Amino acid sequence: MNRQQELDAMRRMLRIRRFEEAAMDIVRKGQGIAGSVHLCIGQEATVVGACLALRDDDFMVGYHRSHGHPIAKGARLGPLMAELMGRSTGICHGKGGSMHLADFRVGSLGETAIVGAGIPQAAGAAYAARIRGTDQVALSFFGDGGANIGAFHEGLNLAAAWRLGVVFVCENNLYAMSTALSDTMAADSIAARATAYRMPGVSVDGQDVAAVYESVAAAVDRARSGGGPTLIEARTYRYRDHAEYGGMELGHRAIEELEQWRTRDPLDLLRARLLAGGTDERVLDEMAAAVAEEVREAVRFARRSPQPEPAALFEDLWATPVEAAR
């Protein structure tokens, strides 16, 4: 990564961190977000490093822990926060909420609460690009839990058999909800599974945004040139619980483990890298202040936005010609 890319990465990582901290505060205070939110705090380097390797017109599919992915792809914060609050100005008109964000303008095809469901969707997006004759690449994010379901194997197998332009990025944060990876997998490497599908499998430090960027960029170049898919396993860690429920904690991890991972916070690592490379500390402080104001404005935008009208329930629906004629 060059210096400008590093600064861009820092800005996007800060946006994700501050956005999710604001969402967490709203949930815990019961001030406008219904249900729970699944936060990726701690995993920002994987999210941003991967998305920075894409073009604006490339596709990205998230999963249930995916506020950060559309932010990393360039989506605006105001409509994202409004969507979390169920407002009509939300990115999906208030109908999707925290786990179903989508922004086609930046290539974010959507997210789903169904674990691993985005894997075959990314393969489909890559196949659609082939039919249209474009060189767009599709990137699918999923967690380590998603690597143990049928859609993972089906999606990788199809992408490999048809040599589709897909990059599969597993955010391995060591826990599927509250279940440790060692309790559900006989092997200790998800990347090693790529061998079965004759595609490259890469394991990378998910706390190092530059390492993630370089690995994904190589995979994107391979996909765009017709070389087929790649599986990348980013070893990372989420600092918060599986989800914020307004106070409930699962308590499934040792405090010592959490604190050890906090010593390699991705924002701290990138800040140190920038300072060591000669970036003025004031530049980073001003960036942090500007991002904090962006997030505050996003919250203000969401709060002053209206709820959807009841009639909007019947908009944005798909129907067959027969049903539409009734």
Side-chain angles (χ1 to χ4, degrees), residues 12 32 59 65 103 106 120 128 134-135 173 175 184 216 231 262 265 269 301 317:
R12 297 188 192 206
F59 303 116
R65 192 179 306 284
D103 188 349
V106 297
T134 72
D135 65 348
N173 63 23
Y175 291 91
T184 59
V216 176
L231 172 61
R262 283 187 181 277
D265 185 288
L269 292 179
F301 171 81
L317 299 176

Side-chain angles (χ1 to χ4, degrees), residues 56-178:
D56 290 345
D57 66 334
D58 286 332
F59 303 116
M60 183 273 294
V61 183
Y63 60 117
H64 65 278
R65 192 179 306 284
S66 279
H67 306 144
H69 301 87
I71 294 174
K73 196 67 168 66
R76 294 180 297 151
L77 300 188
L80 287 172
M81 186 61 76
E83 187 61 36
L84 266 61
M85 292 191 181
R87 305 304 174 98
S88 62
T89 56
I91 205 163
C92 297
H93 304 157
K95 300 177 182 180
S98 170
M99 290 192 285
H100 302 93
L101 304 173
D103 188 349
F104 293 175
R105 292 170 299 182
V106 297
S108 174
L109 299 184
E111 305 154 7
T112 174
I114 302 173
V115 174
I119 298 172
Q121 290 174 352
Y127 184 55
R130 174 178 293 176
I131 291 173
R132 292 194 309 274
T134 72
D135 65 348
Q136 291 161 291
V137 169
L139 188 151
S140 173
F141 288 102
F142 54 96
D144 46 283
N148 284 333
I149 70 165
F152 170 86
H153 300 282
E154 293 164 359
L156 267 67
N157 183 66
L158 184 68
W162 291 357
R163 296 181 69 82
L164 298 177
V166 191
V167 180
F168 301 102
V169 178
C170 177
E171 295 178 52
N172 183 0
N173 63 23
L174 308 183
Y175 291 91
M177 192 171 179
S178 59

Side-chain angles (χ1 to χ4, degrees), residues 185-314:
M185 281 186 58
D188 61 0
S189 170
I190 292 171
R193 293 182 174 184
T195 303
Y197 303 106
R198 295 184 179 179
M199 70 174 71
V202 181
S203 184
V204 64
D205 179 3
Q207 305 303 89
D208 183 341
V209 67
V212 175
Y213 170 81
E214 290 165 7
S215 295
V216 176
V220 167
D221 287 346
R222 180 174 186 270
R224 206 180 304 283
S225 63
T230 301
L231 172 61
I232 295 175
E233 175 188 11
R235 292 274 180 155
T236 184
Y237 199 81
R238 56 175 164 83
Y239 297 160
R240 302 301 305 172
D241 216 328
H242 169 67
E244 298 296 322
Y245 302 94
M248 188 177 101
E249 301 288 343
L250 297 177
H252 58 284
R253 302 177 295 183
I255 296 298
E256 294 78 12
E257 177 184 286
L258 175 59
E259 292 306 314
Q260 179 60 36
W261 277 92
R262 283 187 181 277
T263 64
R264 301 197 70 249
D265 185 288
L267 274 70
D268 293 343
L269 292 179
L270 182 54
R271 182 182 176 90
R273 179 189 182 108
L274 284 162
L275 292 173
T279 300
D280 194 311
E281 190 168 15
R282 289 176 298 179
V283 171
L284 300 180
D285 291 342
E286 289 170 2
M287 178 191 295
V291 168
E293 178 55 29
E294 278 187 70
V295 172
R296 286 192 291 269
E297 176 53 33
V299 174
R300 290 192 291 265
F301 171 81
R303 291 197 189 283
R304 63 176 178 257
S305 296
Q307 299 283 350
E309 294 293 332
L313 178 66
F314 302 100

